[in-house]
Amino acid sequence: MPFSVASAVRPLGDGTFTAALPAEWTVGPKPHGGFLLALVARAAVHAAGVAVPAAEGLAPLAVSAQFLRAPEVGPVLIRTDVRKAGRTATVVTAVLEQRGRGCVEASVTVGRLPAERPGYTDLPDMPAAPPANAVDLASLGPGGVYKLGGVCDVRLDQEGAGFLNGRTGDPLVLRLWAKPHGERPDPYFALLAGDISMPVTFNLGRFGWSPTVQLTALLRAEPAPGWLRLRVSCSAVHGQWFDEDAVVVDSTGRLVCQARQLALTPAG
């Protein structure tokens, strides 16, 4: 099932939406956090379009989400509330619920992504396509994040990913490439890509579930067809708390997403 179909939301006409969390878009048994962000962002953009009927070409510009609890695979309800309606920016709150309990609460700023060339950039130096020896995450088995290899193409640069060989001590910096199967990437897939990496704390030998507590993502441009390249890094690990920054660049070298999250890592 293409990403655009899997992440579709269905309006009920009163600011609420229904959606389904498929088993394919999961980390272990739990729905993938980036996939949940795509759902709430789609619902928010739809709600913004109703609030500002003359607006066209709307997209998420910023998403700030609190992950309250992990939902299960299956149906969910998304409640939206337009807090500000404007020609430049519309602000919508969205709550993803399952069985009457809030799972993700988000504030989404909706507007039009800029089409002109940027006046300034300072971006990672990465090739537009993965190197020949990049690891296809689908080849690493069905466990954990690698399950996503069945529904999108994700490649990992072996350089710097010491955990692949049982090595610890490499810097907490990973480089990846991602694209959906059967369609071009869009802003919602770019949002998902900002959370598609395995935790950089794997390089510390800390494996296991690393739940995101808070994530803020900025969408900067409409992605071009082809690979999205990602540089994922960490500034500090304090106890079980760690930060993770993802910079997502499209095939033309344009910045399309920046994501920063606070998460928990298994104890060392």
Side-chain angles (χ1 to χ4, degrees), residues 22 66 68 71 91 97 139 154 162 167 172 178 180 189 197 238 254:
Q66 305 283 345
L68 307 179
V91 179
E97 299 179 357
S139 69
V154 187
R167 186 174 70 244
L172 302 193
F189 188 82
S197 173
H238 288 161
R254 177 175 296 208

Side-chain angles (χ1 to χ4, degrees), residues 210-221:
S210 300
T212 299
V213 176
Q214 202 282 341
L215 187 149
T216 296
L218 309 179
L219 282 301
R220 309 303 303 277

Side-chain angles (χ1 to χ4, degrees), residues 111-144:
R112 296 179 182 85
L113 291 168
E116 64 270 18
R117 294 179 61 84
Y120 170 81
T121 59
D122 182 11
L123 301 175
D125 182 14
M126 292 177 60
N133 65 344
V135 177
D136 183 348
L137 297 194
S139 69
L140 297 183

Side-chain angles (χ1 to χ4, degrees), residues 66-262:
Q66 305 283 345
F67 291 80
L68 307 179
R69 56 184 56 86
E72 305 293 336
V73 169
V76 294
L77 186 72
I78 305 171
R79 301 184 188 274
T80 64
D81 180 26
V82 178
R83 306 305 302 272
K84 170 198 170 183
R87 289 179 296 177
T88 302
T90 295
V91 179
V92 183
T93 57
V95 181
L96 185 148
E97 299 179 357
Q98 190 175 64
R99 302 183 184 95
R101 304 179 72 197
C103 299
V104 181
E105 292 184 356
S107 175
V108 184
T109 303
V110 179
R112 296 179 182 85
L113 291 168
E116 64 270 18
R117 294 179 61 84
Y120 170 81
T121 59
D122 182 11
L123 301 175
D125 182 14
M126 292 177 60
N133 65 344
V135 177
D136 183 348
L137 297 194
S139 69
L140 297 183
V145 71
Y146 312 127
K147 190 179 299 183
L148 299 183
V151 284
C152 58
D153 199 345
V154 187
R155 309 294 175 96
L156 172 65
D157 192 348
Q158 295 188 55
E159 184 177 350
F163 70 90
L164 291 173
N165 302 309
R167 186 174 70 244
T168 59
D170 281 6
L172 302 193
V173 180
L174 299 175
R175 304 199 313 171
L176 303 95
W177 291 258
K179 62 181 178 180
H181 284 160
E183 56 188 9
R184 63 175 289 172
D186 63 6
Y188 302 99
F189 188 82
L191 181 62
L192 179 143
D195 188 41
I196 208 169
S197 173
M198 67 286 295
V200 291
T201 47
F202 277 20
N203 269 352
L204 294 178
R206 297 193 184 190
F207 300 100
W209 191 39
S210 300
T212 299
V213 176
Q214 202 282 341
L215 187 149
T216 296
L218 309 179
L219 282 301
R220 309 303 303 277
E222 179 82 29
W227 290 100
L228 298 180
R229 32 190 152 163
L230 297 80
R231 183 184 187 273
V232 186
S233 62
C234 173
S235 297
V237 180
H238 288 161
Q240 289 186 256
W241 292 101
F242 74 103
D243 61 272
E244 190 167 279
D245 287 338
V247 178
V248 185
V249 178
D250 74 3
S251 60
T252 68
R254 177 175 296 208
L255 176 66
V256 294
C257 180
Q258 298 161 279
R260 166 169 284 184
Q261 64 177 279
L262 180 66

